[in-house]
Amino acid sequence: EEVIENDGGGVYGYDTSSVVEDCIISNNAAYRGGGSLRGRIYNSVYRNCRALYGGGGASDVYAYGCLAHDNYSATAGQYAGFFYFYHLENCTALDGAGNMNARYTDAKVINCLFAGRTYKEAAMTADNTANCIFNSAYIVNASAFDGYTGVKVVGADLLRMENLRPVPGFNAAVDAASAEAATYAASEVDALGGQRVYNGEIDIGCG
């Protein structure tokens, strides 16, 4: 049995003042936060990281413009990407996110694409969650989002990805982000190094 006792396998943030930008965080392991623990993470990619508990990609973070894919959490599988997060904005979780920590008043989930195993949580309220897309395979009752601004629950036919980006015409995230809801200015280059803004529009998620 693998024994990993430390948190924050790739990045260990002291608190929310710790900042990471434009990084690829991959192939790390920890008890919690395989890729990173705490801090504010901008325009970065989490991939192939793992945790024995929650957050194969990241735990306890504020994340902006980030992508999580192919991460793994042993004892909390649905939290493979982002776990116990404070704030997610313009992020894409292809491998799951959950256990939102809404104890801070600035905790929000805005313009995010949850194509993987992500469920509706009590902490996600109409006041802090907007313009997000969820996979209907994991949302038992889509009406739980009634009254939420711009939140959609869609099937696999509207979640198609190619090279980790939404496919126009086959993904509801394309050109669907809300600039009004955003709390920061998104980068013109996305986490994968591609063009972020097309004809004045940006996608929900990181791409």
Side-chain angles (χ1 to χ4, degrees):
E1 180 181 352
E2 185 177 29
V3 177
I4 302 175
E5 297 180 347
N6 296 324
D7 295 335
V11 177
Y12 185 92
Y14 180 72
D15 55 24
T16 58
S17 67
S18 303
V19 176
V20 173
E21 297 183 70
D22 302 318
C23 289
I24 295 176
I25 303 169
S26 64
N27 299 300
N28 299 288
Y31 177 74
R32 184 164 61 105
S36 72
L37 180 80
R38 290 193 289 270
R40 295 181 184 267
I41 317 297
Y42 294 87
N43 228 43
S44 295
V45 177
Y46 292 93
R47 67 186 185 198
N48 300 322
C49 294
R50 69 188 194 280
L52 289 186
Y53 185 47
S59 183
D60 301 58
V61 296
Y62 285 74
Y64 306 83
C66 293
L67 167 66
H69 70 95
D70 296 304
N71 300 292
Y72 173 75
S73 177
T75 58
Q78 68 267 38
Y79 307 141
F82 299 102
F83 171 71
Y84 204 61
F85 55 85
Y86 298 119
H87 186 100
L88 293 182
E89 187 165 343
N90 292 339
C91 289
T92 298
L94 301 183
D95 47 12
N99 203 18
M100 176 184 182
N101 185 343
R103 65 178 176 172
Y104 295 121
T105 57
D106 61 346
K108 295 183 182 297
V109 184
I110 301 171
N111 290 336
C112 289
L113 172 59
F114 300 107
R117 187 185 294 180
T118 304
Y119 301 95
K120 166 69 174 73
E121 299 184 350
M124 294 178 179
T125 68
D127 293 327
N128 64 27
T129 302
N131 296 94
C132 293
I133 294 174
F134 292 82
N135 189 335
S136 63
Y138 306 108
I139 303 297
V140 176
N141 183 9
S143 65
F145 287 112
D146 286 353
Y148 287 61
T149 301
V151 173
K152 298 179 181 179
V153 179
V154 303
D157 57 326
L158 288 176
L159 288 170
R160 189 179 301 180
M161 307 288 288
E162 186 174 291
N163 297 322
L164 302 176
R165 301 179 189 279
V167 177
F170 297 94
N171 195 306
V174 175
D175 295 340
S178 168
E180 290 77 16
T183 66
Y184 84 114
S187 170
E188 293 187 4
V189 177
D190 65 28
L192 295 170
Q195 183 176 339
R196 177 74 169 133
V197 182
Y198 288 88
N199 299 320
E201 302 289 341
I202 63 174
D203 297 347
I204 284 177
C206 70

